[in-house]
Amino acid sequence: MSAAMDEAGEMCASCGISGGDDIKLKNCTACKLVKYCGVECQRNHRSQHKRACKRRAAELRDELLFKQPESTHLGDCPICFIPLPPHPDKFMMMACCCKVICLGCAYADLLRQLEGKLGITCAFCRQPRATSEQETDRNYMKR
């Protein structure tokens, strides 16, 4: 049964010519579901294929737009849920709650604090940041 489907998939959707070594079939560029032997066959078949093509092209576009990025071994940023980059210069660990956040969220929090003339706090838990190395070490040991 799959052989019959493969053969049907290797035929021009308009004229029915099967593809082989001498005839190179080309996919519909929008939906990639049907194949054509040439531009003329594609034009002739367009009226029959248009509705299904638009629907499938929209599905492909949505898959591409809404596909979740692959997570890294470091996990995701707990604020924006974007996977943390593998390079250690692109994320930071907060000393108060030991959460690892991306620099984008840290920068956005810094801008929020500067614009609102707020105190410097943790981007995740909003606790005041440690003021000394001993306080930072004590917070790490608590966690």
Side-chain angles (χ1 to χ4, degrees), residues 56-77:
R56 177 64 181 151
E59 289 172 5
L60 289 173
R61 187 176 53 250
D62 287 347
E63 279 180 23
L64 184 64
L65 286 175
F66 299 113
K67 183 175 84 170
Q68 293 294 319
E70 295 295 322
S71 188
T72 65
H73 67 284
L74 298 170
D76 299 337
C77 174

Side-chain angles (χ1 to χ4, degrees), residues 93-99 122 130 135-137 139-140 143:
M93 180 183 278
M94 306 308 290
C96 52
C97 58
C98 290
K99 294 290 185 183
C122 172
E135 190 176 350
T136 302
D137 291 339
N139 286 340
Y140 281 140
R143 304 284 172 210

